[in-house]
Amino acid sequence: MMRAVAVIGFAGLSACVSSPRPMALSESGPVSVELAGQSYIADLQPSEAGPVLAVTRDGAAFGNFEGAEAKLAAEAFCGARGRSVNRAAYGHYVGGAWVFKGGCA
């Protein structure tokens, strides 16, 4: 009976190791980004599905046709951290912001 408990405990630990690393608190939060004279706010937050990067323009909300501009600001944010926007994630327009699931990869 003691051996069964040890095996179950080891199986539980191995399940923890294979799960993705949680996002560090230092990686999250709203950060101001300057790009070509325009100010943006990049807000990287954890979610159950992984990190999410929301980009808004300072002063005027994005339109649903301005995803390319938002992605450039997201790339500047991620580039400052030695990364790039997750290539597997498409941007989604949500109420004046562009949201990139996966954050920086």
Side-chain angles (χ1 to χ4, degrees):
M1 184 157 95
M2 197 65 143
R3 183 177 286 181
V5 171
V7 171
I8 291 170
F10 180 72
L13 287 177
S14 65
C16 292
V17 172
S18 65
S19 65
R21 165 184 83 77
M23 190 174 89
L25 185 58
S26 63
E27 295 176 31
S28 68
V31 174
S32 180
V33 176
E34 296 288 326
L35 182 64
Q38 178 65 50
S39 295
Y40 304 90
I41 302 295
D43 190 6
L44 183 63
Q45 294 295 323
S47 77
E48 289 182 14
V52 175
L53 176 58
V55 178
T56 55
R57 187 170 38 212
D58 200 17
F62 278 116
N64 66 351
F65 57 92
E66 296 178 299
E69 180 182 345
K71 189 158 189 178
L72 288 174
E75 284 291 352
F77 171 80
C78 292
R81 288 156 177 71
R83 300 171 137 186
S84 64
V85 175
N86 183 355
R87 302 272 185 236
Y90 291 102
H92 298 280
Y93 179 74
V94 180
W98 277 88
V99 178
F100 301 93
K101 293 180 182 176
C104 303

